[in-house]
Amino acid sequence: MRRKINRQMSIFELMHTSAIAKELRCISQILDHTPDILDAVHRDLLQGRREDTGRCGLTADQVLRCAVLKQYRELTYEELAFYLEDSVAFRSFARLEMGVYPRKSILQDSIKSLTESTWEALHHLILGYAAGTRIETGKKVRIDSTAIETNIHHPTDSSLLWDGIRIMTRWMVEGHQLRPRPDYPFSDHRRVAKKRALTILNARKQETRVAAYRDLVEVARKVCGYAREAIPVLGAYQGDSFQDGCTAHLLAQQLERALRILEKVIDQTKRRVFRDEKVPASEKIISFFESHSDIIVKSRRDTEYGHKVFFTGGASNLILDCVIARGNPADSDQYIDMLERHQQRFGTMPRQASADGGFASKDNLSFAKEHQVKDAVFSKRRGLGVLDMAKSNWVYKRLKHFRAGIEANISALKRRFGLTRCTWSGWRGFRRYVWSNVVSYNLLVLARIELAQG
C-alpha cells in the first residue's frame, strides 16, 4: 500500500541548528506550502498500479524530499542512503520514521519514477509561492543559454565502431547462454577490433590510420551480418522458461536498434575517412547509448555533446523558466518564445528584459517593444541603438550589468548542483535531471532569502 503523506511526526523529531539544518527547515516549510504536488508524485510512484495492496514503501512526501536532498547536496544514491541512516537532520527533513532505512536501490527506483512534468509542476508551484511572498514579481528578467553534456565519451568514428562491435557481440554471447541454445552463427571479433581502434588512436601516418579503419569497418560489417541472422532467431525464441523467452526478445530489440546505428556509423566513416566528405551535424551519430545527444558548438569554443538549455532568471536569483531544446538552435530564435512563456506563467510581459548578445536582433527588439517590454537590452548591440533598447544610457548599463548575474546562477547550477553533465540516461532522464536540479536550486535560493529576512 502506497501512502501519499506521512502520519504525524513525533515531537522528538528535531533538526540541528547548523546552517545546513536551517536551510533544510526552510525548504521543508516551502514544500509544506505546495501540498498539491503530492498528487502528481503519488501517481508517478503508482505507475497505474493499485494503491491499496502490496507493501507500504516510502510515501510520496518522503520520495519527493529524498529527491530534493539528493540534488540539493549533489549526492550519489549510496551517499544518500548513508546520510538518511546517519544524519538526524536529513532524516527529519525526509520525515523518515524510526526503523525506516531505505536502501540505495529503493531510492533510485523511487526517485527515477518522478517524471519531468511532475518536476516542472513543482517548479510552477514554487514560483507561485515566491510570487505570493513578494520575493519574485517577474517584472525584471535576464535570459541566457548554456550547454549541458550527456554522459558519453568524446565520439570518434573508431570509438563508435568499437562500441558497436563490442556491445552487439556481447548481446549475441548472452543469447547463446540461453537454454536451449538459439541457432545462429557468429564469431567474436572484439579482440581484433580493439587492436585496430588502438592503432587508429596512436597512428602517426595517415596511410596507417586509413588501413586500420578499413579493417575495422570490415569487422563491423561482419558483426552486422551476424546480427541480421540472430535477430529473427531471438525474436521467435521459445525457451524452457518465461524469463528466457523475455530475455531473448529483449536481446532481439537491442540488437535491432544497435544494428541501425552501427550501419549509420559505417556509412559516416566511409564518407569522412575514405571520401574526405563533411557530414552535416544533423546526420552524425555520436553515441550508441545516449543517441538523443546533440552536437553543440557555441562560437569559437570547444564542441560539446548534449543539449542546449535556455534559462530565464529573475531579480531574486530564482530560475523562472527553463527550455531544453533539441538540435543546436540559435539564441536569437528562442528569445520570443522565452518571453511568451514568461507571459503565460506570470500573466504579463516583464517590464525589463536583459539578454545575452546572441539573442540580439531587430525582430526580437521589435517584438519586445510591441508587447510592452519597456527596456529590452542585449549585452552586445549588434547594430541596435542604445536608446532603441532602453530609455537612457544609464538604464542600458544597469540592465547590461544585471544580465551578468545569470552567469552566476548558471555557474551555481553547474558547480553546486552537478548540471555540467547529466548522469541520468535517456532523453526523458535528461529532462528529469535538469528540472530536478532547477527545482532544488530554487528551493535553496528561497530558503536563503527567507533566512536573510529573518
Side-chain angles (χ1 to χ4, degrees), residues 252-348:
Q253 293 175 4
Q254 292 174 331
L255 281 172
E256 188 173 4
R257 174 183 172 276
L259 175 62
R260 292 196 299 268
I261 296 176
L262 184 55
E263 287 176 338
K264 292 181 180 179
V265 172
I266 292 173
D267 178 67
Q268 82 178 23
T269 302
K270 289 180 180 178
R271 295 169 62 185
R272 284 162 51 88
V273 179
F274 303 152
R275 303 174 196 163
D276 199 23
E277 295 181 12
K278 288 188 177 180
V279 179
S282 58
E283 300 178 16
K284 289 180 181 177
I285 300 295
I286 59 176
S287 176
F288 274 85
F289 310 101
E290 301 294 334
S291 55
H292 60 90
S293 304
D294 295 318
I295 302 174
I296 310 297
V297 181
K298 294 191 70 175
S299 121
R300 293 177 295 277
R301 292 176 239 171
D302 294 337
T303 301
E304 298 184 64
Y305 304 95
H307 294 290
K308 201 170 185 178
V309 182
F310 296 84
F311 292 106
T312 299
S316 62
N317 283 326
L318 290 173
I319 298 297
L320 306 183
D321 194 14
C322 170
V323 174
I324 306 168
R326 298 301 298 265
N328 186 19
D331 289 355
S332 57
D333 295 338
Q334 296 293 315
Y335 182 78
I336 294 176
D337 180 56
M338 299 298 288
L339 290 181
E340 289 177 340
R341 286 172 60 93
H342 183 87
Q343 184 179 29
Q344 293 173 2
R345 189 152 298 164
F346 286 87
T348 182

Side-chain angles (χ1 to χ4, degrees), residues 140-258:
K140 187 176 181 181
V141 301
R142 44 194 171 193
I143 302 171
D144 203 352
S145 66
T146 188
I148 300 174
E149 296 182 342
T150 47
N151 198 24
I152 63 174
H153 61 72
H154 182 79
T156 61
D157 293 323
S158 59
S159 65
L160 290 172
L161 289 169
W162 160 237
D163 282 342
I165 294 167
R166 175 173 55 85
I167 63 175
M168 291 172 70
T169 302
R170 184 179 71 227
W171 289 334
M172 286 185 281
V173 169
E174 290 179 11
H176 268 186
Q177 293 173 354
L178 300 173
R179 293 292 179 268
R181 180 174 170 174
D183 185 20
Y184 58 83
F186 80 97
S187 297
D188 190 343
H189 299 292
R190 286 179 289 187
R191 184 177 178 184
V192 67
K194 185 176 182 179
K195 286 184 176 181
R196 296 298 179 272
L198 290 173
T199 300
I200 293 169
L201 179 64
N202 299 315
R204 295 185 178 181
K205 295 183 179 180
Q206 181 66 13
E207 297 80 4
T208 305
R209 183 179 291 106
V210 171
Y213 260 117
R214 294 191 186 279
D215 291 344
L216 191 57
V217 167
E218 185 59 32
V219 172
R221 283 176 177 169
K222 291 180 181 179
V223 173
C224 288
Y226 301 147
R228 291 190 192 95
E229 294 186 30
I231 289 171
V233 175
L234 291 170
Y237 179 80
Q238 299 293 330
D240 293 338
S241 66
F242 177 75
Q243 182 177 359
D244 285 349
C246 291
T247 300
H249 296 161
L250 178 61
L251 289 173
Q253 293 175 4
Q254 292 174 331
L255 281 172
E256 188 173 4
R257 174 183 172 276

